[in-house]
Structures are given as structure tokens and as C-alpha cells.
Amino acid sequence: MWKVGDLVVRPSYGRDVCFVITRIDLEAGMVELKGLDVRLVADAPFSDLMKITEDDFVDYRRAQAKIEQDTIRLVQLRRQADRDKNIYRSERSRHPYDFFERPGRVLHLDGDGTYLEKCIQTYRRLGVRAVGKNLDESSIAERIPSLLEQYAPDILVITGHDSVMRKQRSESEMMHVRNYRNSEHFVRAVRAARKYERSLDELVIFAGACQSHYEALLDAGANFASSPDRIMIHALDPVFVAEKVAFTPIGETIDIYAIVQSTITGTEGLGGLESRGKYRMGLPRSRY
């Protein structure tokens, strides 16, 4: 009765997340699911699936679009407020020079091409210079040195899919990366990036996805990571973190609370360490 591409919800989880079926195991009576808007891949039995109606899907999409648009609007308002209080504002009034802006550059490596395209579109809307590469989570670590050499980013985003491999785990089991779908791959990728650039201020790294091993990612060298409470994060949360880093002046330490509040998920899904921003202003603007 099920086929790849079907849109479903899971009654056992309150039908709160919309999934698409990506793989079916008829013998085991199981399917692999991918969240449409949250960075989660999960296995589920046929008995825990409910197909959503076209009307329900339209309502779901409308609600998700409102959440995303409201968050983008808040980011834009916050950035305008930051500009209004920026020290360079007074410099503009005293000097005839035409200043120009250089926000930080982003290299976004994502295990899911659909999520990546959505992220790249949002970077553009927010005026962030970003390059994206769709790579399988298991191959990111090997590709990082050459990609960092090629693109020389200020901010590196490493994400894709992740999850705790079994619902019921003890506290001690939750601390082992082997019990996560892709956290170990993300940890290896962060270590590879830190081997290339050790300074947390020269290269700012966000790493992780839904339910990722937050502590292991920070220990490996990430500035920001998911997921402190092992919850699902929104597909666009890494973009909002990167945007805040890209537009925080180089001489300032990023307000960790503000950066997390710029996301859809909040402090339960993302966190990090004190880090410097990557935004610079220059003068004069070239006439050519």
C-alpha cells in the first residue's frame, strides 16, 4: 500500500512532522522516512504511518512557510537594528567616503540536495555570499581540505541528516557517537576542518543536524552545533546561524543567545561557543 514518494505522518509522534517515504523494505515491513522541513531521517514500521490528504498538506505547507517567513523578517529587522547602532554610522556622517561592506563568506556542505537548495535560496534572500556542495555525510571529511583550499570560506556549515539510532537509550549510551546515524561522520568532518585551520576565529564552523551529538561536535572543534536536547532542527537553522556570524563585525564577539534566538528551533536545538564575527567594512568604494 505504500510507495516511495508518499507523504506521511507518524501517529505515535503526534503527527507533528511531515515525512516523505524514501525507501521501502517489504520483507521487514519498514520504511525509511525523510523530514520535509526538519533534518531527520528515520525508520518506521508500516503500522506507524498515516498518509496525509492533499488539503492537510496544503495547510502544513502554509504553516511552514509562515514560520520561515516570520523568522527571515526577524533576522532582517535585527540586522537593520545592528546597522543603526554600528560605529561606522557616525564615520559616514563625518567623512565624504563611500563605505562598502564585506560580510563573511559561507561554504555549506550538505548531505541532502533538497535542503541545500532551500538553504542557498535563503542565503541569497539574506544577502549572504554562499557556495553549496551536496555531499554524502560519510564523504565530507575527505573532501574538506580541498574544498577549503578552493573556496577559502570564513564560515563552514556541515550538515545533512542525523538521528539517534534507537528511541530508548540510557544517558551513557547517548554519549557515544556510534549510537547516532551520522554524528560520527560530522565529527570527522569537523576534525578535518580544524586540522586545516585550528583557530575558531579564523574559520567559524557550524555542524550537525537533527538529534546530533552536540557535545562531541563542540569537542571536535565546532563553534556552533546541534542538538543539545537531541531534538529535531529546522532545515534553515544552519543558515540563520551562518547569517548572524557573517554580519557580526570582526571586532565583536557574537552574542550566543542572539544567534540561537535567530533560529527556528532555539536553545533546545542549537548552541555554541563565544566566537568573533566575520563582517568587515571598508573604504573607499571603488568607482570601477
Side-chain angles (χ1 to χ4, degrees), residues 26-47:
L26 291 174
E27 185 176 343
M30 300 285 291
V31 298
E32 183 179 81
L33 303 172
K34 184 181 82 169
L36 288 186
D37 296 285
V38 294
R39 290 181 172 274
L40 180 69
V41 168
D43 297 322
F46 290 168
S47 58

Side-chain angles (χ1 to χ4, degrees), residues 36-40 60-61 63-69 71 110 115 118-119 122 159-160 206 208-210 226 231-240 263-266 269-270:
L36 288 186
D37 296 285
V38 294
R39 290 181 172 274
L40 180 69
Y60 174 83
R61 272 303 190 207
Q64 287 297 313
K66 184 178 187 305
I67 291 171
E68 293 170 13
Q69 187 57 44
T71 305
D110 203 315
Y115 291 155
K118 187 172 186 177
C119 288
T122 306
T159 191
F206 172 92
C210 283
S226 61
I231 68 169
M232 294 177 290
I233 70 168
H234 194 275
L236 294 180
D237 279 340
V239 174
F240 298 130
T263 66
I264 293 173
T265 307
L270 303 104

Side-chain angles (χ1 to χ4, degrees), residues 104-110 116 120 123 128-135 143-159 203-206 242:
R105 296 167 297 175
V106 177
L107 173 60
H108 189 137
L109 309 180
D110 203 315
L116 179 60
I120 293 297
Y123 283 125
V128 178
R129 298 178 295 166
V131 173
K133 296 292 180 182
N134 177 207
L135 303 171
R143 295 288 305 279
I144 273 183
S146 62
L147 290 170
L148 291 178
E149 182 72 26
Q150 179 179 357
Y151 293 105
D154 303 298
I155 304 155
L156 175 64
V157 176
I158 304 168
T159 191
L203 179 65
V204 176
I205 301 174
F206 172 92

Side-chain angles (χ1 to χ4, degrees), residues 120-184:
I120 293 297
Q121 291 175 4
T122 306
Y123 283 125
R124 290 172 182 156
R125 290 184 64 183
L126 294 172
V128 178
R129 298 178 295 166
V131 173
K133 296 292 180 182
N134 177 207
L135 303 171
D136 186 87
E137 290 88 349
S138 63
S139 69
I140 292 176
E142 287 69 34
R143 295 288 305 279
I144 273 183
S146 62
L147 290 170
L148 291 178
E149 182 72 26
Q150 179 179 357
Y151 293 105
D154 303 298
I155 304 155
L156 175 64
V157 176
I158 304 168
T159 191
H161 302 120
D162 208 356
S163 61
V164 180
M165 294 295 287
R166 192 175 72 233
K167 183 178 178 181
Q168 299 298 329
R169 290 236 179 240
S170 68
E171 188 170 324
S172 61
E173 287 178 317
M174 292 290 283
M175 294 307 295
H176 291 289
V177 294
R178 66 172 179 268
N179 292 325
Y180 295 75
R181 185 180 296 268
N182 279 315
S183 285
E184 191 166 9

